[in-house]
Amino acid sequence: MNKIMVEYIWIDGHIPTAKLRSKTKVVDNKVSSPSDLPDWSFDGSSTMQAEGSFSDCLLKPVHIMKDPLRGGNNLLAMCEVFNSDGSVHKSNKRAQLRELAEKHKNQECWFGIEQEYTFFDGIKPLGWPDNGFPAPQGGYYCGVGSDEVFGREIVEEHMEACLDAGMNLSGINAEVMPGQWEFQIGPLGPLEVSDEVWLARWLLYRIGEDYGVSATLDPKPVKGDWNGAGAHTNFSTKSMREPGGIKIIEDACKKLGKNHDKHIDMYGADNEYRLTGDHETCSIKDFKYGVSDRGASIRIPMQTANDGYGYLEDRRPSANMDPYLVCTALMDTILS
Ligand code: ADP
Ligand code: MN
Ligand code: MN
Ligand code: MN
């Protein structure tokens, strides 16, 4: 084929939680880097990114991956959004992370993001009875069997798609609430992990279309005694990963404690319904860090404490967080 289909994917201006948008451009089959792709425009008045009278916004491809659904040489292209005069659009949170990543590249930051989400079948979580509730939580986490696990075929298809695209997906698991799942991306640098999380979300929604199932990133999709959905963000620098790194990790935890409110502001909307202090969370009003403590804001994994080096896990980001913002906040607080 001398033409390929490229899915231009971008993040809209929806507040407080942005949504993914995409459209397809057919181009000549000779693309090996994002800069080989033309800029494109879209109607920003339909995406909460412009007023109707002056509505063109620019799409600039910044990260390409194989399109695992269309196959062949077809591509997915993550884009940044610019105003028609070429300046950074205010919805474009990647631009500031790009600068921060460049500034701190000698630190060799790694991120691993655990994306939790919940499948919905119409108005109820997938697998839930039409009336009432399933059996209480207890057997679902990493469960097996058609009475415990709902949506595995979609999860398997999504995992294969992410790997075929070339993503650094490191695993999946069924979560504590029935119909809830997790995939992990990383470890990768800040821009790479964020782009891949957004593209993996896009693939999840897109594959869900084929099953008539939607995936939501709502941090508390069911009120009451049901786990919420987060996006634990694991972080390390080169010096944290070397012997003696635990000292640098502890210093980072102290800095994070002094900037708790700044982080919460950048960690996703409606997080207060999730960070209650129950269901393996620390209250949104408190900050604590500790070894192997799943009720802390920041967990230092047991292995890291034992080895004396490794990484930290920020358990506060909600499932609907923007990874560009979370990575920016972590690098800004810890490296400044
Ligand atoms: P949990 O035990 O909290 O469920 P997971 O296994 O789901 O942890 O996710 C841990 C994530 O952390 C993975 O994406 C993994 O790749 C990532 N990770 C591992 N080592 C590091 C590191 N040194 N720095 C940053 N992230 C890391
Ligand atoms: Mn996990
Ligand atoms: Mn989890
Ligand atoms: Mn975790």
Side-chain angles (χ1 to χ4, degrees):
M1 230 184 0
N2 50 15
K3 295 280 185 186
I4 56 168
M5 293 165 270
V6 184
E7 196 71 10
Y8 278 53
I9 297 172
W10 76 97
I11 295 158
D12 76 3
H14 205 268
I15 288 172
T17 303
K19 292 175 186 290
L20 282 163
R21 307 277 178 152
S22 72
K23 57 177 183 168
T24 310
K25 192 169 190 63
V26 176
V27 302
D28 288 342
N29 183 7
K30 49 181 185 194
V31 179
S32 52
S33 90
S35 58
D36 296 334
L37 284 167
D39 291 354
W40 203 10
S41 61
F42 67 96
D43 169 18
S45 68
S46 300
T47 62
M48 282 136 269
Q49 284 166 304
E51 300 298 328
S53 55
F54 197 75
S55 66
D56 267 11
C57 294
L58 272 183
L59 292 177
K60 193 179 280 293
V62 288
H63 190 151
I64 54 174
M65 305 203 87
K66 286 193 279 182
D67 183 340
L69 305 181
R70 287 175 171 150
N73 286 339
N74 300 303
L75 296 170
L76 305 176
M78 194 69 210
C79 298
E80 284 192 31
V81 177
F82 294 84
N83 298 306
S84 48
D85 67 1
S87 58
V88 172
H89 192 275
K90 68 174 186 302
S91 65
N92 176 353
K93 309 301 183 196
R94 190 181 188 278
Q96 59 183 0
L97 181 61
R98 198 162 17 90
E99 285 175 19
L100 209 55
E102 179 61 27
K103 182 175 163 196
H104 294 297
K105 63 170 187 268
N106 60 334
Q107 300 265 2
E108 296 178 29
C109 295
W110 289 1
F111 292 85
I113 294 180
E114 303 169 50
Q115 175 69 67
E116 294 180 342
Y117 60 93
T118 310
F119 283 133
F120 266 71
D121 171 13
I123 59 165
K124 62 184 176 62
L126 185 64
W128 285 44
D130 285 333
N131 293 298
F133 294 91
Q137 294 183 160
Y140 305 111
Y141 171 73
C142 297
V144 61
S146 59
D147 53 339
E148 305 278 11
V149 155
F150 308 97
R152 194 189 296 276
E153 60 200 359
I154 314 173
V155 171
E156 291 284 322
E157 188 175 330
H158 176 253
M159 174 161 52
E160 278 183 34
C162 289
L163 295 174
D164 288 347
M167 289 180 190
N168 209 322
L169 179 132
S170 55
I172 58 111
N173 61 269
E175 270 301 338
V176 177
M177 187 181 98
Q180 210 164 57
W181 293 84
E182 168 180 316
F183 62 83
Q184 302 107 30
I185 301 279
L188 284 169
L191 290 170
E192 293 75 18
V193 82
S194 301
D195 292 344
E196 290 194 14
V197 165
W198 275 115
L199 290 170
R201 288 173 175 175
W202 188 89
L203 282 173
L204 183 64
Y205 300 145
R206 171 63 193 80
I207 291 168
E209 289 176 8
D210 296 344
Y211 291 87
V213 168
S214 63
T216 176
L217 305 185
D218 188 327
K220 194 74 178 182
V222 185
K223 305 288 177 267
D225 202 11
W226 302 97
N227 271 42
H232 299 165
T233 301
N234 301 274
F235 174 80
S236 63
T237 59
K238 185 165 185 284
S239 54
M240 291 177 181
R241 296 188 295 268
E242 288 170 349
I246 190 75
K247 171 82 181 62
I248 296 158
I249 292 172
E250 280 167 4
D251 287 347
C253 291
K254 286 174 192 149
K255 282 187 181 173
L256 290 168
K258 292 199 184 100
N259 290 278
H260 180 61
D261 293 345
K262 162 184 140 183
H263 282 255
I264 291 297
D265 284 349
M266 293 167 86
Y267 278 11
D270 299 326
N271 209 2
E272 64 274 22
Y273 302 111
R274 164 179 165 262
L275 295 180
T276 56
D278 294 326
H279 304 113
E280 301 167 60
T281 70
C282 181
S283 164
I284 199 165
K285 296 189 213 85
D286 302 325
F287 177 90
K288 12 176 225 178
Y289 69 92
V291 173
S292 195
D293 183 355
R294 289 175 190 269
S297 320
I298 309 287
R299 176 174 69 104
I300 298 174
M302 180 70 83
Q303 187 74 43
T304 294
N306 289 346
D307 293 343
Y309 58 88
Y311 62 99
L312 62 84
E313 176 191 45
D314 191 339
R315 301 176 60 80
R316 297 170 296 173
S318 65
N320 60 0
M321 60 78 146
D322 180 344
Y324 298 130
L325 290 176
V326 170
C327 292
T328 297
L330 283 166
M331 290 178 69
D332 191 49
T333 298
I334 293 172
L335 305 180
S336 68

